[in-house]
Amino acid sequence: MEKKYFSTESVTEGHPDKVCDCISDSVLDAIYAVDPMARVACETTATTDFVMVMGEVTTTADIDVEATVRNAVAKIGYNKPEYGFNASTFTFVNRIHTQSPDIAMGVDKCLEAKTGAQSDKYDVGAGDQGMMFGYASDETENLMPMGYVIATNMAKKLTEVRKNGTLTYLRPDGKTQVTIEYEGDKPVRLENIVVSTQHDPDVSLEQIRHDIIEYVIKPVVPAGFIDDKTEIFVNPTGRFVIGGPQGDSGLTGRKIIVDTYGGYSRHGGGAFSGMDPTKVDRSACYAARYCAKNVVAAGLAKKCEVQVSYAIGVAKPLCVSVNTFGTGTIPDEKIAELLRETVDLRPAAIIDYFGLRNPIYAPLSAYCHFGREELGVKWESRDIADTLKQKAMIWQIVSDVMKNQA
């Protein structure tokens, strides 16, 4: 079979951009714990001992934003002066203001309701225009791409061995990357592995390399995926003491590929963290993943990408399209039709069905928003797989009968 290679990466929760994502989602969670109908678009930027939150929030909740931010940073592990970014001492600036009434007007009541074409509890318009993508693949048990699962699990493991005391010299910042070899569409081995981890200044590169291979790489990589040709790079620059927001400024929404599928699927460009679910950049991406995952779980394709698109203030999606990359058991356009009749993709329906007005977001701010079955998020359920399978079977039977009659 043809050999192909694909590289994908992940980062730890201590990466400066992920710190900002966590802060923004922690603010959203704190507000939603009090006011589930709030409108929130919270952005964060961070650098050496400095954090600023900004954006638009309309809410009845009166939360302590600064305490929420400092608690989020402390939980990540930036709590020592030598890190150059300390939860107790950084300068904090709050630049949050209320949402534009022009945007609120379109979201409060959708165009369909205003024109009399629709009137029900889901007459809420999309919070913005744009296109969103969801993806699933049968390469792994959680129907995520194999390479990205490995990279993400290594990033998780870096944090785990830091926090549980296995490797006390590790600091919060870190990145992982793998290049996976495919034979046809089957992942078979790792061509190379890269792990870069922040560390205390008094530990040798040799010690770090040994420990990362033993405690991070080996426990995570599936058996047989490392061979004598696999290259392993640990801290290839030789030193990574200065990191986090001290080493590089952070910004919410700058790790959108890490948040989704590691580059295996297309991306509409919108970020998730800090955004309430009336922003379809977030909620519709969750719904698109749900659709794609159930298509693969139903056995209708080995891999599936679903695109949806919206206009601001309009509830009904403008487009629902499917690409199974030649692996579908029925035509892609028929799968799209089945999804349109099975799943209500209006923003308010998505919010209601997935329970998106709950404070569930901070745990999603690192290590991907998808494949997180351990968090019990509804968009990772497979509850319509049987329905899709049955509908596809009926369509196939009817189609075959019609062909025979012709």
Side-chain angles (χ1 to χ4, degrees):
M1 290 185 179
E2 177 191 7
K3 287 187 177 183
K4 298 181 292 186
Y5 298 87
F6 192 88
S7 294
T8 186
E9 72 163 355
S10 185
V11 299
T12 68
E13 62 195 51
H15 184 282
D17 296 328
K18 281 287 127 194
V19 170
C20 294
D21 286 343
C22 181
I23 290 171
S24 294
D25 274 335
S26 296
V27 171
L28 173 60
D29 280 353
I31 292 171
Y32 260 16
V34 180
D35 178 15
M37 299 306 293
R39 298 276 171 77
V40 181
C42 179
E43 310 271 356
T44 303
T45 187
T47 186
T48 304
D49 258 341
F50 177 86
V51 171
M52 179 170 69
V53 295
M54 52 198 157
E56 301 78 43
V57 174
T58 301
T59 182
T60 60
D62 182 17
I63 69 164
D64 188 333
V65 176
E66 181 173 355
T68 299
V69 171
R70 292 190 186 279
N71 287 339
V73 172
K75 188 174 180 180
I76 291 170
Y78 284 109
N79 45 30
K80 296 181 180 180
E82 57 265 33
Y83 291 174
F85 186 71
N86 188 341
S88 301
T89 60
F90 61 69
T91 300
F92 175 74
V93 176
N94 185 346
R95 289 293 181 268
I96 292 175
H97 54 87
T98 58
Q99 184 184 48
S100 161
D102 293 344
I103 296 175
M105 179 174 59
V107 177
D108 290 340
K109 189 171 288 291
C110 65
L111 180 65
E112 295 96 320
K114 293 174 184 176
T115 58
Q118 172 186 315
S119 182
D120 62 18
K121 66 177 182 177
Y122 296 144
D123 62 357
V124 174
D128 202 352
Q129 72 174 51
M131 67 281 191
M132 300 84 203
F133 293 90
Y135 181 80
S137 167
D138 67 356
E139 294 178 12
T140 60
E141 290 185 2
N142 64 359
L143 303 187
M144 290 288 285
M146 173 68 80
Y148 184 55
V149 168
I150 294 173
T152 302
N153 286 343
M154 286 196 303
K156 284 183 181 179
K157 184 61 74 170
L158 269 178
T159 296
E160 179 185 323
V161 297
R162 170 176 62 88
K163 288 186 170 182
N164 69 17
T166 300
L167 301 179
T168 57
Y169 59 79
L170 292 186
R171 293 183 175 184
D173 197 358
K175 302 181 77 172
T176 63
Q177 181 176 293
V178 302
T179 299
I180 195 162
E181 179 184 315
Y182 286 84
E183 290 184 356
D185 286 331
K186 181 181 178 181
V188 294
R189 60 177 293 274
L190 293 181
E191 177 73 3
N192 50 61
I193 300 170
V194 184
V195 178
S196 294
T197 180
Q198 189 185 14
H199 58 87
D200 289 346
D202 56 353
V203 60
S204 69
L205 178 60
E206 291 74 17
Q207 183 68 51
I208 296 170
R209 178 180 171 82
H210 171 271
D211 290 346
I212 295 303
I213 291 174
E214 290 299 316
Y215 296 107
V216 175
I217 295 175
K218 286 184 177 180
V220 165
V221 177
F225 271 72
I226 296 178
D227 58 27
D228 56 2
K229 294 183 179 179
T230 302
E231 294 184 289
I232 299 177
F233 301 91
V234 176
N235 282 19
T237 63
R239 182 178 170 88
F240 187 2
V241 173
I242 299 173
Q246 182 189 27
D248 189 9
S249 60
L251 188 65
T252 298
R254 206 157 54 180
K255 283 290 175 285
I256 58 176
I257 299 302
V258 168
D259 282 341
T260 51
Y261 307 100
Y264 279 85
S265 173
R266 288 174 288 188
H267 199 294
F272 301 156
S273 290
M275 303 294 173
D276 78 73
T278 65
K279 282 74 171 177
V280 283
D281 280 331
R282 179 169 218 157
S283 54
C285 279
Y286 293 170
R289 160 65 177 174
Y290 173 74
C291 290
K293 185 171 184 177
N294 277 274
V295 167
V296 175
L300 302 184
K302 294 179 70 63
K303 53 183 175 179
C304 178
E305 181 184 76
V306 175
Q307 185 206 46
V308 292
S309 66
Y310 295 84
I312 188 170
V314 179
K316 186 178 179 180
L318 306 182
C319 171
V320 179
S321 66
V322 168
N323 185 356
T324 62
F325 308 93
T327 70
T329 60
I330 63 174
D332 289 356
E333 58 269 25
K334 184 60 189 179
I335 296 176
E337 181 182 326
L338 295 181
L339 290 172
R340 284 192 294 268
E341 68 182 44
T342 305
V343 184
D344 191 339
L345 290 169
R346 291 176 294 171
I350 294 170
I351 292 168
D352 187 25
Y353 187 70
F354 294 139
L356 298 182
R357 293 196 183 277
N358 292 298
I360 61 173
Y361 297 105
L364 292 162
S365 63
Y367 314 117
C368 194
H369 292 246
F370 306 118
R372 303 295 300 278
E373 295 177 349
E374 79 278 8
L375 295 179
V377 290
K378 188 67 179 289
W379 59 89
E380 288 298 319
S381 67
R382 310 179 192 208
D383 56 356
I384 60 168
D386 287 343
T387 299
L388 292 174
K389 186 176 182 178
Q390 291 168 4
K391 288 183 176 182
M393 189 181 304
I394 292 170
W395 174 84
Q396 190 68 67
I397 292 171
V398 172
S399 179
D400 290 344
V401 169
M402 293 178 66
K403 285 179 182 178
N404 290 335
Q405 289 178 345

